């Protein structure tokens, strides 16, 4: 692999620029040949060599590197304050690459007691089969995580805010635990996005994203990402990305970059709307409990206020009347679209127990049957409030 090729996915030093500027410009200079201000879609599999081994810009085959993906990877690294970014075909592909890069048979991982169902399925049904053990801890409780560590622990896995109960973990505190134990700390930053929260600056070793969600932001692409500031770890991840091959295609990379350009303004509106929705739900007689870090009643509110710029666009709540009442609310919603996923400009509603988190049924991560999860979009908030009120009855 050439020296030039080794530079793909690395972010140059642009720390003097504000986030909104980096989101639009990092890794994306005007095209040298045409002056195009948008990175081209290099829909290509292979590249002409100038003699054997004479690579142009280090590109030889698009699984190993592609100019469009390189632009996205450099942008991701800059936004998370890292030095190496890697883009994948999905969030789970990114997770799988990370686990294979840092774990071996016999190793142990601490996972949260509230997490995306696909992440739990990956641990419980896939990596466990090749000898990796895992145990569950309440990651909002630093001592609980410390107690869950074993001599063979190699990784602490965190989601904050978590999916779907919006739990909040003190990243800096757990980074201290991880350093003391000599293990890696991985933070899934999907719900927050780098605009609201930057785990590497708080001491995490690796940031994980489903770029399908807020980074893409338009429900039109599936992707994932890993970002780190550890050069050695970055090389291990890049090696496995190439060896395993679940890379982001050039058009998917381009769509994520297109979405990232408006990430800051979208997250401001998502957060503003979600705060209004959460306040309305907390006062509604048909709602038993609201999960949103921006509420003073949330147990992790102070930690979230310390490590997040704002509180994001995800809200979950429990409905009086049990599981069927929660399902009925989902069915009655009209402006909120009933569907899985999250983070798009349009508002979504779902029943986690029967949809996104069906895979955790019967486990320590099982979600309440009366839970409804909202991905609050950027529509007019009064329209969103009216729809939820009619859905609640």
């Amino acid at each position: 692999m050439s020296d030039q090729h080794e530079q793909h996915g690395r972010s140059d030093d642009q720390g003097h620029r504000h986030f909104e500027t980096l989101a639009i410009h990092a890794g994306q200079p005007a095209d040298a040949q045409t002056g195009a201000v948008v990175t081209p879609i290099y829909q290509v599999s292979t590249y002409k060599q100038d003699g054997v081994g004479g690579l142009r810009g280090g590109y030889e085959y698009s699984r190993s590197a592609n100019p469009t993906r390189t632009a996205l990877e450099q942008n991701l690294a800059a936004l998370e304050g890292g030095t190496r970014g890697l883009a994948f075909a999905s969030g789970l592909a990114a997770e799988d690459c990370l686990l294979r890069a840092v774990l071996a048979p016999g190793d142990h991982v601490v996972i949260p007691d509230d997490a995306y169902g696909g992440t739990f399925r990956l641990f419980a049904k896939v990596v466990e089969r090749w000898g990796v053990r895992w145990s569950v801890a309440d990651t909002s409780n630093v001592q609980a995580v410390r107690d869950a560590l074993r001599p063979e622990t190699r990784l602490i896995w965190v989601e904050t805010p978590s999916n779907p109960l919006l739990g909040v973990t003190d990243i800096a505190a757990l980074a201290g635990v991880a350093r003391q134990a000599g293990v890696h700390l991985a933070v899934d930053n999907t719900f927050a996005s780098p605009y609201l929260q930057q785990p590497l600056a708080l001491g995490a070793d690796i940031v994980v994203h489903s770029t399908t969600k807020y980074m893409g932001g338009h429900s039109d692409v599936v992707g994932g990402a890993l970002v780190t500031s550890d050069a050695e770890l970055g090389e291990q991840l890049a090696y496995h990305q190439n060896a395993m091959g679940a890379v982001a295609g050039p058009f998917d990379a381009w769509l994520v970059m297109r979405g990232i350009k408006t990430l800051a303004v979208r997250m401001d509106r998502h957060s503003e709307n979600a705060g209004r929705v959460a306040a309305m739900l907390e006062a509604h007689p048909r709602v038993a409990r609201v999960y949103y870090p921006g509420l003073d009643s949330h147990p992790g509110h102070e930690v979230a206020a310390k490590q997040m710029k704002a509180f994001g666009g995800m809200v979950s709540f429990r409905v009086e009347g049990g599981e069927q009442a929660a399902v009925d609310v989902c069915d009655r919603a009209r402006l909120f679209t009933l569907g899985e996923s999250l983070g798009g400009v349009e508002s979504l509603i779902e029943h986690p127990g029967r949809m996104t988190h069906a895979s955790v049924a019967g486990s320590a991560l099982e979600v309440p049957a009366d839970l409804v999860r909202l991905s609050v979009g950027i529509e007019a908030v009064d329209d969103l409030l009216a729809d939820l009120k009619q859905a609640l009855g």
Side-chain angles (χ1 to χ4, degrees):
M1 208 173 277
S2 72
D3 290 340
Q4 287 176 305
H5 187 95
E6 288 290 310
Q7 297 305 310
H8 298 150
R10 295 175 191 249
S11 172
D12 50 7
D13 183 14
Q14 302 186 67
H16 61 286
R17 294 183 179 172
H18 291 87
F19 183 95
E20 295 86 344
T21 304
L22 290 174
I24 295 169
H25 294 288
Q28 301 175 69
D31 182 67
Q33 181 175 354
T34 67
V37 298
V38 175
T39 301
I41 302 169
Y42 287 90
Q43 195 68 47
V44 62
S45 60
T46 193
Y47 305 82
K48 182 182 186 299
Q49 298 188 18
D50 298 318
V52 176
L55 308 184
R56 299 185 185 184
Y59 294 101
E60 54 186 336
Y61 186 61
S62 279
R63 171 174 40 78
S64 300
N66 173 280
T68 313
R69 193 174 89 230
T70 295
L72 171 60
E73 292 177 333
Q74 291 178 351
N75 185 265
L76 291 167
L79 295 184
E80 284 287 4
T83 56
R84 193 68 178 265
L86 299 165
F88 295 84
S90 71
L92 281 170
E95 294 185 16
D96 187 38
C97 178
L98 170 58
L99 297 181
R100 295 199 200 205
V102 303
L103 300 175
D107 289 344
H108 171 258
V109 184
V110 177
I111 68 172
D113 62 356
D114 181 44
Y116 168 51
T119 298
F120 175 77
R121 182 176 59 233
L122 182 61
F123 280 105
K125 304 298 184 182
V126 180
V127 298
E128 185 177 284
R129 294 177 59 200
W130 50 277
V132 171
R133 300 291 176 253
W134 53 273
S135 57
V136 174
D138 175 4
T139 57
S140 69
N141 183 330
V142 175
Q143 189 57 48
V145 175
R146 190 177 284 116
D147 292 343
L149 295 173
R150 304 176 185 174
E152 62 271 24
T153 302
R154 297 293 178 267
L155 178 66
I156 299 171
W157 188 279
V158 168
E159 288 182 13
T160 183
S162 64
N163 183 4
L165 296 177
L166 284 300
V168 173
T169 294
D170 188 327
I171 298 171
L174 280 198
V177 172
R179 280 194 302 272
Q180 188 175 32
V183 305
H184 290 303
L185 174 64
V187 176
D188 186 332
N189 202 29
T190 297
F191 268 28
S193 86
Y195 178 63
L196 300 185
Q197 177 175 272
Q198 298 198 329
L200 296 180
L202 297 170
D205 298 294
I206 312 118
V207 175
V208 183
H209 279 283
S210 170
T211 55
T212 309
K213 312 305 193 297
Y214 287 109
M215 305 288 265
H218 293 77
S219 301
D220 57 8
V221 64
V222 174
L226 299 174
V227 181
T228 185
S229 291
D230 183 318
E232 182 179 356
L233 179 57
E235 291 300 322
Q236 293 173 344
L237 295 171
Y239 177 87
H240 281 77
Q241 181 197 41
N242 182 54
M244 294 164 63
V247 298
F251 186 47
D252 289 346
W254 187 89
L255 285 170
V256 174
M257 279 193 293
R258 187 276 314 268
I260 285 174
K261 291 176 187 291
T262 59
L263 178 64
V265 292
R266 286 187 288 106
M267 292 310 296
D268 283 340
R269 176 61 72 85
H270 283 299
S271 298
E272 179 184 342
N273 283 0
R276 291 277 305 277
V277 166
M280 183 277 287
L281 291 172
E282 192 171 44
H284 199 285
R286 293 287 310 282
V287 174
R289 181 174 179 183
V290 181
Y291 301 86
Y292 184 65
L295 295 174
D296 290 341
S297 58
H298 190 288
H301 175 70
E302 291 187 7
V303 172
K306 177 180 67 173
Q307 67 188 23
M308 299 178 72
K309 180 175 181 177
F311 302 105
M314 298 302 298
V315 179
S316 292
F317 62 98
R318 299 179 70 172
V319 181
E320 294 282 4
E323 180 176 10
Q324 189 56 51
V327 171
D328 290 343
V329 169
C330 293
D331 288 339
R332 285 194 296 262
R334 294 294 175 263
L335 181 55
F336 279 81
T337 299
L338 179 62
E340 299 193 3
S341 197
L342 59 103
V345 293
E346 66 288 315
S347 294
L348 299 176
I349 189 169
E350 68 125 357
H351 184 269
R354 296 191 185 183
M355 296 171 67
T356 54
H357 288 71
S359 62
V360 303
S363 76
L365 281 73
E366 184 169 8
V367 300
D370 58 359
L371 187 73
V372 173
R373 191 190 74 179
L374 304 176
S375 175
V376 182
I378 64 173
E379 302 95 337
V381 70
D382 288 342
D383 293 335
L384 298 176
L385 295 173
D387 188 45
L388 289 172
K389 289 174 182 176
Q390 70 79 23
L392 285 162

